[in-house]
Amino acid sequence: MTAQLRDIASAFAFDGTIDAIEALGEGFINDTFVVRTAGDAPDYILQRKNRHVFPDVPAMMENIRKVTEHIRRRVAAEGGDPNREAMTVIPTRDGALYHRDEAGEYWAATRFIEGAVTYDRADTEELARKGGEGIGRFQAQLADFTEPLAETIRGFHDIRHRFAQWDEALRRDAAGRVGSLAAEIAFIEARREEMLAFKRLVEEGTIPVRVTHNDTKIANILFDGEGRVLCAIDLDTVMNAPALNDFGDAIRTFANTGAEDDPEPGRVGLSLGMFRAYAEGYLSQQARQLTQAEIDHLAFSARYITFEQVLRFLMDYIDGDTYYKIRYPDHNLVRTHAQQRLLESMEEQYDAMRAIVREVAAAYR
Ligand code: GN1
Ligand code: MG
């Protein structure tokens, strides 16, 4: 443990005396440490937040504080243990939600949840069901949360905003690649109107805006030793948006039979079994909260978010690979093709997806 890390840790209102500080995992965005304390005092998670991805860390921490305090109250009211079934933000000794070090980096801390288990991949229907339950529970706990949240990443799943960026990227043609992408660009343009039509349902209020997690991968759900869901973690991107976005993005990742960047499109497709399992877990928690319009568009949300991902990967390729990290020169184009294939598979199986949602929702309403 470096003296510098120890200094940063001592800025926070931790109980007990610090024994050790250990690096945890290999996050792509933040740097994460566990602060071990002596005796009975709890341990803590200490994170350096990436200020390039999150231009307004104070606003982000304020979002996280509001949401976690609400969930803690809900868990306590239902007789659960808020220290295990919710995240707990630990302020600094001065009462701030973050500490700024000498280099201007932002640090924040939460309570460490002892004995929790996480998974890297949802490769069974059982885990997909649990993943759906974890995100469904998170949204259900926030169904009565009415405080506004800051928009920490502008227009994140707003397809109108994405199309404005897209039109600009085509016009700029920064990497000189537009000329070779006629088929991929036509794929996007053929779907422009139907995606904007969905967005209009949100703009008119037919589809409500709620609280979304915005990074619904299985690794962001904590389980206890018996496999029960504890809580959703990594709340950095929590914002106000349609709940459907979290469902759609989860299906895009959980229910793909191949990899997000699979070079072999034949391996990519939507697994209806995984789709059903995630929908069962999710709707077991959320079916009574959602409006009929939301239920009617759950299956479409998977197409919407997957379409957006095709657009974002292709746009980054057109821009010359400035947003996503790439491992080889055409990586963003390979990602584009793999996500195109996934979207086509969803389009082919759309009637079956809708039938599954109807069936599962009816069972839980
Ligand atoms: C980024 O790296 P990760 O999984 O946190 C991106 C998501 C994309 C995803 C695609 C803040 O998420 O929106 O869907 O890559 N997050 C941000 O792999 O842009
Ligand atoms: Mg993330």
Side-chain angles (χ1 to χ4, degrees):
M1 153 178 52
T2 66
Q4 193 209 1
L5 262 180
R6 184 181 270 277
D7 278 354
I8 290 162
S10 18
F12 289 88
F14 294 153
D15 288 334
T17 53
I18 298 171
D19 249 356
I21 302 181
E22 303 156 5
L24 180 76
E26 299 164 36
F28 294 146
I29 294 187
N30 302 317
D31 297 307
T32 307
F33 301 87
V34 185
V35 179
R36 303 281 178 199
T37 60
D40 287 341
D43 292 341
Y44 299 93
I45 294 282
L46 179 64
Q47 258 190 342
R48 174 168 47 209
K49 301 290 187 181
N50 185 321
R51 57 186 164 127
H52 303 293
V53 175
F54 301 106
D56 191 348
V57 176
M60 173 179 93
M61 289 309 301
E62 192 55 37
N63 281 356
I64 297 176
R65 180 192 65 76
K66 289 177 181 167
V67 163
T68 55
E69 282 181 357
H70 185 91
I71 294 178
R72 292 176 63 77
R73 280 194 298 271
R74 286 282 300 250
V75 169
E78 285 154 22
D81 178 356
N83 286 337
R84 291 185 64 72
E85 293 169 51
M87 301 275 289
T88 313
V89 176
I90 307 293
T92 65
R93 297 196 183 278
D94 303 332
L97 296 174
Y98 55 86
H99 168 76
R100 246 189 132 179
D101 70 15
E102 284 157 13
E105 298 288 345
Y106 286 92
W107 294 80
T110 55
R111 195 183 166 110
F112 181 80
I113 300 177
E114 213 60 60
V117 178
T118 56
Y119 299 91
D120 281 344
R121 260 191 73 84
D123 38 22
T124 63
E125 291 181 7
E126 186 50 26
L127 258 188
R129 191 172 289 109
K130 291 270 175 67
E133 199 186 307
I135 296 302
R137 158 115 75 104
F138 173 79
Q139 290 189 349
Q141 286 169 327
L142 292 162
D144 57 343
F145 177 90
T146 49
E147 292 176 76
L149 296 173
E151 190 178 24
T152 47
I153 301 181
R154 188 173 164 234
F156 196 50
H157 287 313
D158 172 348
I159 208 69
R160 195 179 295 289
H161 177 70
R162 295 295 181 190
F163 271 120
Q165 295 176 324
W166 165 258
D167 291 337
E168 178 58 23
L170 287 187
R171 199 194 51 73
R172 230 179 9 235
D173 192 11
R177 289 170 167 170
V178 165
S180 66
L181 297 169
E184 290 82 357
I185 292 169
F187 183 100
I188 296 290
E189 294 300 340
R191 291 162 178 80
R192 186 192 281 253
E193 276 321 309
E194 97 184 304
M195 295 301 157
L196 286 172
F198 175 75
K199 176 66 190 162
R200 275 195 292 279
L201 298 177
V202 178
E203 290 162 342
E204 294 158 7
T206 306
I207 298 205
V209 167
R210 301 179 186 272
V211 180
T212 47
H213 181 284
N214 285 310
D215 195 4
T216 54
K217 55 188 168 215
I218 188 78
N220 282 338
I221 297 168
L222 289 191
F223 297 91
D224 70 10
E226 276 79 56
R228 284 183 299 251
V229 171
L230 287 171
C231 59
I233 58 169
D234 188 6
L235 305 182
D236 291 354
T237 49
V238 74
M239 278 182 263
N240 289 122
L244 297 177
N245 293 350
D246 277 351
F247 183 85
D249 203 29
I251 297 305
R252 185 184 73 79
T253 53
F254 279 73
N256 184 354
T257 55
E260 182 178 69
D261 60 349
D262 214 307
E264 189 45 71
R267 282 197 293 251
V268 174
L270 176 91
S271 156
L272 283 177
M274 294 291 272
F275 178 78
R276 175 186 289 273
Y278 188 91
E280 282 172 358
Y282 179 72
L283 288 169
S284 74
Q285 306 298 309
Q286 266 291 72
R288 285 191 204 87
Q289 254 77 234
L290 298 178
T291 65
Q292 192 58 44
E294 286 172 297
I295 296 206
D296 290 345
H297 290 86
L298 274 177
F300 190 80
S301 73
R303 288 172 55 189
Y304 177 81
I305 295 290
T306 306
F307 172 82
E308 182 198 300
Q309 197 63 65
V310 177
L311 185 152
R312 289 175 68 192
F313 284 148
L314 184 56
M315 184 162 71
D316 198 36
Y317 185 68
I318 290 171
D319 282 340
D321 312 306
T322 59
Y323 188 87
Y324 293 107
K325 284 186 193 139
I326 54 168
R327 286 198 310 277
Y328 52 89
D330 279 352
H331 200 171
N332 271 321
L333 189 58
V334 169
R335 286 169 171 149
T336 301
H337 292 152
Q339 294 288 296
Q340 278 183 311
R341 178 60 211 128
L342 180 60
L343 178 54
E344 284 169 344
S345 170
M346 290 174 178
E347 290 167 351
E348 288 154 19
Q349 302 185 87
Y350 187 48
D351 290 343
M353 291 164 71
R354 296 194 57 179
I356 288 171
V357 170
R358 273 197 300 274
E359 202 182 298
V360 176
Y364 287 109
R365 282 188 123 189

